[in-house]
């Protein structure tokens, strides 16, 4: 999947993107928001990056690079993976196509509306082409920026789940069809 917006390009990650990925993923606040407690150095970051690349190839996940069009640098990523199991098994989602979104953007690129731009384009494309009927997206209680972005995009509260020691809020966005 390739999508272009005014300021960004979303495209599948390649092994050549690791340098840029490493540049933003080592930021402690971002790691905390993503639950990446074990990423402490270049080697562990490379293992995580390679795992994501392999999941994309083997399990048909989308591990999309968010690339600044002016610089050509990867400034973040969006993962599209199978929906959260408890959401997919709920009565209102039985028989519907769903996916789960997760995302991250470099600290120096925050508060510019870039991730909202990327996600709006991606979500619009997925709904238009019938890839999904609904999307779920989660955030830990302390991540108010993710909550605000999800609300801005139209996601609504659905429930909660545990991820390790964290309680996550699950939000849902349904295709209006």
């Amino acid at each position: 999947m390739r999508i272009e917006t005014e300021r960004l390009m979303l495209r599948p990650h390649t092994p050549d993107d690791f340098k840029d990925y490493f540049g933003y993923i080592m930021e402690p606040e971002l790691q905390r928001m993503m639950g990446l407690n074990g990423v402490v150095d270049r080697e562990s970051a490379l293992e995580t990056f390679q795992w994501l690349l392999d999941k994309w190839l083997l399990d048909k996940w989308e591990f999309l690079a968010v690339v600044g069009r002016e610089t050509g640098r990867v400034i973040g990523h969006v993962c599209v993976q199978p929906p959260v199991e408890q959401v997919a098994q709920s009565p209102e989602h039985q028989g519907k196509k769903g996916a789960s979104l997760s995302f991250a953007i470099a600290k120096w690129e925050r508060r510019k509306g870039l991730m909202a731009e990327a996600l709006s384009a991606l979500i619009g494309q997925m709904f238009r082409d019938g890839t999904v009927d609904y999307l779920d997206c989660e955030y830990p209680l302390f991540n108010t920026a993710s909550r605000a972005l999800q609300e801005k995009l139209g996601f609504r509260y659905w429930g909660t789940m545990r991820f390790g020691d964290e309680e996550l809020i699950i939000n849902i966005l349904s295709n209006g069809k």
Side-chain angles (χ1 to χ4, degrees):
M1 178 180 296
R2 289 182 91 82
I3 298 173
E4 291 194 29
T5 70
E6 182 179 327
R7 300 181 291 172
L8 304 168
M9 179 174 48
L10 279 76
R11 59 157 173 79
H13 259 294
T14 69
D16 292 338
D17 294 331
F18 177 71
K19 180 181 176 186
D20 290 342
Y21 173 85
F22 183 71
Y24 70 83
I25 205 68
M26 292 308 295
E27 197 270 311
E29 181 184 3
L30 181 64
Q31 287 188 6
R32 180 172 175 245
M33 287 188 272
M34 293 179 60
L36 293 177
N37 302 330
V39 178
V40 296
D41 56 21
R42 186 174 184 80
E43 183 179 329
S44 56
L46 182 57
E47 286 176 19
T48 300
F49 183 77
Q50 190 59 53
W51 180 83
L52 287 165
L53 284 177
D54 291 346
K55 290 300 273 185
W56 172 71
L57 291 172
L58 298 174
D59 296 337
K60 306 226 185 298
W61 286 27
E62 294 278 351
F63 179 40
L64 301 172
V66 178
V67 181
R69 288 184 66 174
E70 279 188 21
T71 65
R73 288 185 58 205
V74 176
I75 59 169
H77 65 263
V78 178
C79 293
V80 182
Q81 60 256 359
V84 169
E85 192 172 325
Q86 73 188 66
V87 173
Q89 292 178 355
S90 67
E92 68 267 31
H93 296 109
Q94 290 281 321
K96 294 183 179 177
K97 296 180 288 188
S100 186
L101 293 180
S102 60
F103 52 88
I105 192 161
K107 184 175 186 172
W108 58 88
E109 297 292 356
R110 292 184 197 148
R111 310 233 186 292
K112 297 178 183 179
L114 294 169
M115 190 53 74
E117 183 177 321
L119 291 173
S120 291
L122 176 63
I123 291 165
Q125 181 67 42
M126 292 175 76
F127 282 163
R128 276 191 306 278
D129 69 15
T131 303
V132 295
D133 299 314
Y134 71 91
L135 293 162
D136 68 68
C137 197
E138 296 72 45
Y139 68 89
L141 293 172
F142 63 83
N143 192 342
T144 56
S146 185
R147 181 192 75 216
L149 177 54
Q150 290 178 41
E151 289 173 357
K152 179 180 180 177
L153 293 169
F155 283 84
R156 297 292 173 247
Y157 176 83
W158 184 84
T160 63
M161 66 182 276
R162 301 284 314 164
F163 182 74
D165 293 337
E166 291 290 338
E167 180 178 21
L168 301 180
I169 302 299
I170 303 170
N171 286 326
I172 300 289
L173 179 65
S174 296
N175 193 351
K177 293 181 181 179

